[in-house]
């Protein structure tokens, strides 16, 4: 049986094997392992042994989304994006490329206390943004390096309220 997507786990010695993959096409191998950065490898058509894949140490980014009183905001949306994630997505091809574009921007909702966390990221510069209903968007840039856990406090500020009246040409209120 031939399949378009397959997944496997590595053995204790790091060996992995994907079974029943198509012979007549190139493949994109996406490697995810706790503590290591996401890795993408293009595998040429007909190649059955990719050799040793060296995984880079992963980075982590955590933090807390708070209001002006430093109270945690639950269910806020925190997004991170980076060129290193975008370049991984660009390395992929065809149908796999669409699934990898999800890795170009990571999104997470904050917990009850306003906490968020991202792990197994490639080292590099990241654009962090937070979105909370009723508040202006927050943006910042952080640099992630292996073996250093980054923690960011994102504080939202009250936004400006714009009000006015809608009337027709006769001055009657428009609902």
């Amino acid at each position: 049986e031939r399949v378009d997507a397959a997944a496997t786990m590595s053995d204790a010695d790091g060996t992995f094997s994907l079974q029943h993959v198509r012979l007549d096409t190139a493949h994109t191998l996406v490697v995810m392992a706790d503590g290591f950065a996401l890795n993408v490898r293009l595998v040429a058509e007909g190649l059955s042994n990719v050799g040793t894949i060296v995984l880079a140490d992963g980075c982590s980014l955590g933090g807390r989304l708070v209001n002006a009183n430093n109270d945690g905001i639950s269910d806020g949306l925190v997004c991170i994006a980076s060129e290193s994630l975008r370049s991984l997505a660009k390395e992929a091809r065809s149908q796999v490329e669409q699934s990898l574009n999800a890795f170009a921007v990571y999104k997470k909702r904050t917990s009850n206390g306003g906490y968020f966390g991202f792990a197994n990221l490639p080292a590099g510069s990241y654009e962090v943004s937070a979105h909370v209903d009723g508040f202006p968007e927050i943006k910042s840039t952080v640099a992630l390096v292996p073996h250093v856990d980054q923690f960011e406090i994102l504080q939202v500020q009250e936004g400006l309220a714009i009000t006015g009246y809608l009337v027709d040409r006769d001055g009657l209120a428009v609902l």
Side-chain angles (χ1 to χ4, degrees):
E1 172 185 81
R2 297 178 344 172
V3 295
D4 290 327
T8 189
M9 301 286 287
S10 59
D11 295 335
D13 66 356
T15 302
F16 69 91
S17 177
L18 292 167
Q19 302 295 319
H20 308 294
V21 294
R22 295 176 61 142
L23 298 173
D24 59 349
T25 186
H27 298 282
T28 303
L29 187 62
V30 179
V31 180
M32 295 180 278
D34 285 340
F36 296 95
L38 180 71
N39 188 297
V40 176
R41 173 82 48 104
L42 294 176
V43 181
E45 180 179 328
L47 184 65
S48 64
N49 187 334
V50 295
T52 300
I53 299 173
V54 178
L55 300 179
D57 289 337
C59 300
S60 65
L61 170 64
R64 188 167 188 223
L65 182 60
V66 298
N67 62 20
N69 296 325
N70 288 322
D71 299 320
I73 299 174
S74 62
D75 204 37
L77 181 63
V78 177
C79 304
I80 61 171
S82 78
E83 272 310 308
S84 59
L85 292 174
R86 287 185 188 102
S87 68
L88 285 175
K90 288 177 187 173
E91 287 181 37
R93 298 182 194 170
S94 68
Q95 75 273 16
V96 178
E97 183 173 1
Q98 293 161 358
S99 64
L100 279 178
N101 279 333
F103 291 112
V105 177
Y106 283 83
K107 299 176 183 181
K108 293 219 173 163
R109 292 277 176 192
T110 56
S111 69
N112 286 339
Y115 293 96
F116 63 89
F118 301 91
N120 305 327
L121 301 169
S125 180
Y126 286 79
E127 194 176 277
V128 180
S129 60
H131 310 271
V132 178
D133 288 342
F135 294 93
E137 179 182 42
I138 303 170
K139 287 190 176 187
S140 68
T141 302
V142 297
L144 299 183
V145 295
H147 309 294
V148 176
D149 293 333
Q150 185 83 21
F151 190 86
E152 293 289 314
I153 300 290
L154 302 175
Q155 187 174 51
V156 295
Q157 301 295 325
E158 292 292 332
L160 175 69
I162 298 175
T163 61
Y165 297 99
L166 297 176
V167 296
D168 64 15
R169 64 176 164 236
D170 295 326
L172 300 174
V174 175
L175 301 177

